[in-house]
Amino acid sequence: MTDVPSPAARVRGRRPPQGDPVVDRALALLAAFDATHPALTLGELSRRSGIPTSSTLRLAGRLQAWGALERGADGRFTVGLRLWEVASLAPRARGLRQVAMPFLGDLEEVTRQHVLLAVREGGDAVLVERLSAHAAIPVLYQVGGRLPLHSTGVGLVLLAYADVDVQEEYLSRPLLHEPERVPVSEAALRRTLADVRREGLAHFRRRVPQPLVSVAAPVFDAQDRLAAALSVVVPEERADARLLGPAVRTAARAISRELGARRPLGR
């Protein structure tokens, strides 16, 4: 498999016969990294991307030269800082974060735990910001990571306010609560989503690795569309719904107003 097609193979409008375009293979290399695999050897990068080792080495070298990958003294590859710089320009996250940060800071100061801001991308929630106090409990998700819609507070909000066709496609899947790996009842999840829409808040409890509660609220944009979900994550023993619910809702309303939302913003 070569990266540059021969002259005979360069037929306008057609894919080179010897394999996927170079850009697809380069993206496959980047997609091989995730939260549990932040550093990969050449062999691991080859196996996880499904690209032969020789092509992996060549493509990784090009990505390293551009700054999308870095290679440590141990020979392992990691995502490069240049890629983070480019990703930080994404409009959906950048403008949202700039508006939301003061309100996230206020909420973190009040709760002294975790404050999360997430958007929906396909069938997942993507965490675009997280503020955490020094003594906050451990959480499973990092900024830039993907969260299951049915097993997180922000995810439930994003799913509850998604278009009906998105909800139906998602609910048609066999779902497991994470990280417990317990099957999800479709009927129970439908009731939960209806409750979220009615109350303008999601309450989610998780037992492992330690009991916690997440309270989340929707954030709307200037077109009155769902822009994001905001949540706090606290230890179960500190989860006072009388305080957390109004605090999260107030912060979400404030962010929505700054984004230009005009719709009624819940209770």
Side-chain angles (χ1 to χ4, degrees):
M1 185 181 297
T2 62
D3 296 328
V4 180
S6 65
R10 293 183 183 132
V11 180
R12 180 171 297 182
R14 296 183 183 179
R15 175 176 294 184
Q18 62 264 42
D20 294 331
V22 174
V23 67
D24 288 352
R25 284 178 280 159
L27 292 173
L29 291 188
L30 297 176
F33 297 90
D34 58 28
T36 56
H37 300 87
L40 298 171
T41 65
L42 177 63
E44 291 168 338
L45 191 55
S46 173
R47 287 192 298 274
R48 288 179 58 80
S49 65
I51 299 172
T53 304
S54 59
S55 294
T56 295
L57 180 60
R58 184 164 55 252
L59 288 169
R62 296 289 298 275
L63 291 171
Q64 184 181 353
W66 184 79
L69 291 180
E70 296 177 1
R71 196 172 194 183
D74 61 356
R76 292 178 179 270
F77 290 95
T78 58
V79 173
L81 188 60
R82 180 78 181 276
L83 200 62
W84 176 261
E85 291 174 336
V86 173
S88 68
L89 300 175
R92 287 181 63 197
R94 184 174 185 175
L96 175 65
R97 287 181 66 255
Q98 289 176 339
V99 170
M101 281 300 290
F103 304 102
L104 269 61
D106 291 344
L107 201 53
E108 187 270 332
E109 184 67 27
V110 170
T111 62
R112 306 307 302 165
Q113 288 291 324
H114 301 285
V115 179
L116 279 59
L117 186 69
V119 299
R120 185 175 66 83
E121 178 67 23
D124 299 300
V126 176
L127 191 60
V128 297
E129 188 56 83
R130 191 191 84 191
L131 299 184
S132 304
H134 291 298
I137 60 173
V139 290
L140 300 176
Y141 307 107
Q142 305 295 322
V143 173
R146 290 179 175 261
L147 297 70
L149 295 178
H150 60 284
S151 289
T152 56
V154 289
L156 289 173
V157 167
L158 295 171
L159 185 58
Y161 287 89
D163 293 339
V164 173
D165 57 339
V166 173
Q167 293 182 18
E168 292 302 320
E169 191 280 329
Y170 193 88
L171 289 165
S172 69
R173 308 175 186 179
L175 299 173
L176 297 174
H177 279 300
E178 300 293 348
E180 301 96 328
R181 307 294 292 172
V182 176
V184 175
S185 163
E186 179 183 339
L189 182 53
R190 287 185 183 276
R191 289 193 297 271
T192 296
L193 298 179
D195 290 342
V196 172
R197 290 189 294 270
R198 184 178 63 254
E199 299 178 14
L201 284 175
H203 294 84
F204 178 78
R205 283 177 163 77
R206 196 184 71 208
R207 297 296 178 184
V208 295
Q210 66 185 89
L212 60 77
V213 172
S214 174
V215 180
V219 173
F220 299 98
D221 64 15
Q223 286 73 47
D224 293 332
R225 300 171 304 195
L226 183 71
L230 171 70
S231 77
V232 295
V233 180
V234 302
E236 187 176 51
E237 64 270 16
R238 293 182 53 184
D240 188 338
R242 295 171 299 174
L243 299 177
L244 290 178
V248 175
R249 183 184 284 119
T250 297
R253 284 176 173 175
I255 298 170
S256 298
R257 282 194 295 269
E258 290 295 317
L259 291 174
R262 295 161 294 179
R263 64 176 286 167
L265 299 176
R267 299 179 183 179

